[in-house]
Amino acid sequence: MPTESLIIGGGVLVALFIVILLFKAVWRVAEPNEALIISGLGARGKNEGDSLGFKIVTGKGTAVLPGFQTARRLRLDSRAANLQVSCVTQQSIPVVVKGVVIYKVGDDLHSIANAARRFLDQQDSMNGAIHELFTGHLRSITGNLTVEDLILNRERLTGETRASASDEMIKLGLIVDSLQIQEIDDETGYITNLGKPHAAKIAATARIAEAQRDQEATEAEQIAAANKAAAWRDAQIKQASYQAEIDEAQARSRQAGPLSEASARQEVVVQETRAAELEAQLSEQRLQSQVRKPADAKAYETVTLSQAERDARIARAEAEARETELRATAQASQVKQAAAAEAESVRLRGLASAEATKATGLASADAAKAKGLAEAEAAKAKGLAEAEAIRARSQALAENQEAVIAQQLAENWPQIVEAGAKAFGNVDHMVVLNGAQGIEEMLAKALTLGGTGLGLARSLLNMNGTSAPVAVPTPEVNGKAVEPTS
């Protein structure tokens, strides 16, 4: 009986162990970050159609029949693919875009199925596929943007890239958790040159600000140094004042003893002097009362009487002399004042007369001088003008005798006509036969008398074939000859 029990217990344990081994061999559990892809006999999902052809299990366990079914794991955790794409912008500037794509297999069964069909046995090649996919989209989108857009608006680049790649990612069963553009480089230095003006402006602003801060700091330091020096000066002055007071107090304290002794000695001397003076006064009082006063009283009586008589005579004489002196002084003062007033009046009248005479003489002299200068200038100008006219006439006569003679005749023509007309002045009655023409002929004959003068002058001037020089009188101004000016 015991042997049978042991056999039965051992058999149960063996059977249990075999069951556990079998359960472990056929049971598969999906981790939170993976999906079980079960294919084989009877591997159908509850919600998928027959076209799926495999079973997807996430977050739980399932039995897999060895030999009839196969279970493989598809990772659902995030993956990162680095991007380094050479692109050309809208401005034909080559740039290198560096970024990173963080992606994963979608959590829905459709995405898991798409990813399983494409990457189940090639999960390590997902990064390469993602790199190639985003490279093409980045190049396409960058070609429509400028460098400034790439730098200033990276969200646009990432948004458009994710939007253009979304359809392909859905087909691949993948979703993008994040797309980040880390760096944009260019070999031509375009981006660097874009920042140089701003950097130079910022550097200039920084230098200006630094210079201003340095100036303010220097001014503050100088003000602080000046305040410090002023405080030190005030402290030194106060210390010197306090030291002087201390020295004065110490000197007074040192001199207090000798001064007190000198004061005591001085007081003793003063008291002794006063005692001696009192003794001398006492002796003098005794002498005065016993000897001098009686003698002085008698002498004083005699002297007083004589002095009174003398003073009376002197007073009478001084009064008379004083009265005479006052009368003489008053009379002399009156005479002196009258004489001074008369002398001052005479002096003032003389000064006034002298000033008037002087002013009149100066005015007359100035007027005579001005008049003489004006007459001299006028005579000089008139003489110069006459000399210039005579010289010009002589030159004209030397150069063109006929013109000068004609001018003289023209200037004297009224006198000539008047002289010719005098021929008719003594005629009482005259008959003109030809009317106006006859009068003209008679006037012409009368005027020919003046014309003969022109021929006579010309014949006289041309007697020897040469022109005789004409003497030109020299003009005089105030009795002096004046040279004509050219």
Side-chain angles (χ1 to χ4, degrees):
M1 187 67 182
T3 305
E4 292 179 358
S5 298
L6 290 173
I7 292 172
I8 292 170
V12 171
L13 291 174
V14 170
L16 182 60
F17 180 72
I18 292 171
V19 170
I20 292 172
L21 291 177
L22 290 174
F23 181 79
K24 187 176 181 181
V26 300
W27 191 256
R28 298 288 184 271
V29 178
E31 298 292 336
N33 62 339
E34 64 182 5
L36 289 177
I37 308 299
I38 301 172
S39 60
L41 181 64
R44 293 290 186 273
K46 295 181 179 180
N47 298 325
E48 294 85 4
D50 295 337
S51 60
L52 188 59
F54 52 87
K55 180 181 179 181
I56 299 173
V57 178
T58 58
K60 59 183 179 180
T62 185
V64 178
L65 299 177
F68 298 98
Q69 295 177 344
T70 302
R72 284 172 289 185
R73 300 177 184 274
L74 179 64
R75 292 173 52 194
L76 301 179
D77 52 358
S78 297
R79 304 167 187 262
N82 294 321
L83 301 177
Q84 185 171 351
V85 185
S86 298
C87 307
V88 178
T89 65
Q90 188 180 13
Q91 302 157 318
S92 300
I93 297 175
V95 295
V96 177
V97 180
K98 296 180 181 180
V100 61
V101 181
I102 300 175
Y103 67 97
K104 66 182 292 294
V105 178
D107 295 329
D108 61 288
L109 297 179
H110 183 69
S111 297
I112 294 173
N114 289 339
R117 288 192 179 100
R118 290 166 177 81
F119 304 110
L120 186 59
D121 292 334
Q122 300 177 0
Q123 297 186 39
D124 294 336
S125 64
M126 284 186 182
N127 289 340
I130 294 300
H131 184 277
E132 296 299 327
L133 175 64
F134 279 90
T135 296
H137 288 290
L138 279 174
R139 287 175 178 170
S140 175
I141 295 170
T142 303
N144 296 323
L145 300 176
T146 62
V147 177
E148 289 80 357
D149 295 333
L150 295 177
I151 295 173
L152 301 176
N153 197 1
R154 294 191 181 186
E155 293 182 357
R156 177 184 175 186
L157 176 61
T158 57
E160 292 184 1
T161 303
R162 291 182 66 172
S164 62
S166 60
D167 294 338
E168 286 86 350
M169 294 294 288
I170 292 173
K171 292 178 182 179
L172 294 176
L174 305 175
I175 59 174
V176 177
D177 287 340
S178 177
L179 172 61
Q180 297 294 328
I181 303 299
Q182 296 176 335
E183 188 177 354
I184 298 175
D185 295 332
D186 70 307
E187 299 177 355
T188 61
Y190 184 86
I191 297 176
T192 303
N193 293 330
L194 280 178
K196 284 183 178 180
H198 185 66
K201 182 179 179 181
I202 297 300
T205 304
R207 290 178 60 188
I208 293 172
E210 183 179 2
Q212 291 177 349
R213 298 295 85 78
D214 291 341
Q215 181 180 0
E216 292 175 358
T218 303
E219 292 177 354
E221 290 176 356
Q222 293 177 353
I223 293 172
N227 294 333
K228 184 178 179 181
W232 182 84
R233 178 200 61 194
D234 296 339
Q236 292 295 321
I237 292 172
K238 289 182 179 180
Q239 289 179 4
S241 177
Y242 295 154
Q243 187 64 39
E245 293 178 359
I246 293 170
D247 294 340
E248 183 179 359
Q250 291 178 352
R252 288 179 179 176
S253 64
R254 287 194 300 268
Q255 295 174 0
L259 285 174
S260 61
E261 293 179 359
S263 297
R265 287 196 302 271
Q266 183 179 2
E267 187 67 25
V268 171
V269 171
V270 169
Q271 294 298 327
E272 291 177 353
T273 303
R274 292 185 63 184
E277 288 178 354
L278 291 174
E279 292 178 357
Q281 289 177 2
L282 179 60
S283 300
E284 185 178 359
Q285 290 295 331
R286 289 175 181 174
L287 181 62
Q288 289 284 345
S289 61
Q290 295 176 1
V291 178
R292 185 175 299 172
K293 282 187 177 182
D296 288 341
K298 187 175 182 179
Y300 179 75
E301 182 180 2
T302 304
V303 171
T304 302
L305 292 175
S306 61
Q307 287 181 352
E309 184 180 359
R310 183 193 62 186
D311 291 339
R313 291 196 301 271
I314 292 173
R316 285 194 298 270
E318 287 180 353
E320 294 175 357
R322 181 62 178 168
E323 183 179 0
T324 304
E325 181 181 359
L326 289 175
R327 285 196 299 268
T329 302
Q331 292 176 358
S333 178
Q334 291 177 357
V335 174
K336 183 178 180 181
Q337 289 178 358
E342 184 65 23
E344 183 66 20
S345 175
V346 172
R347 186 181 68 84
L348 291 176
R349 285 197 299 272
L351 288 176
S353 177
E355 290 294 331
T357 304
K358 180 179 179 182
T360 304
L362 290 176
S364 300
D366 292 339
K369 180 179 179 182
K371 182 177 180 182
L373 291 175
E375 292 176 353
E377 291 294 331
K380 179 179 179 181
K382 182 178 180 181
L384 291 175
E386 292 176 354
E388 183 67 21
I390 294 171
R391 191 183 67 83
R393 186 175 298 171
S394 64
Q395 289 182 355
L397 183 61
E399 294 175 358
N400 193 349
Q401 298 174 359
E402 293 183 0
V404 174
I405 294 171
Q407 182 181 2
Q408 293 292 329
L409 291 175
E411 291 176 355
N412 297 316
W413 193 254
Q415 291 80 2
I416 296 173
V417 173
E418 182 180 0
K422 287 181 180 181
F424 302 95
N426 298 321
V427 177
D428 293 333
H429 182 72
M430 180 177 60
V431 179
V432 180
L433 299 177
N434 295 333
Q437 184 178 1
I439 294 173
E440 291 178 358
E441 290 177 355
M442 285 188 294
L443 291 174
K445 289 179 180 180
L447 294 177
T448 52
L449 296 175
T452 57
L454 177 62
L456 179 60
R458 185 182 297 110
S459 62
L460 292 174
L461 292 173
N462 296 325
M463 287 178 62
N464 297 323
T466 59
S467 299
V470 179
V472 180
T474 302
E476 293 183 357
V477 178
N478 295 330
K480 296 182 180 180
V482 178
E483 292 294 332
T485 58
S486 60

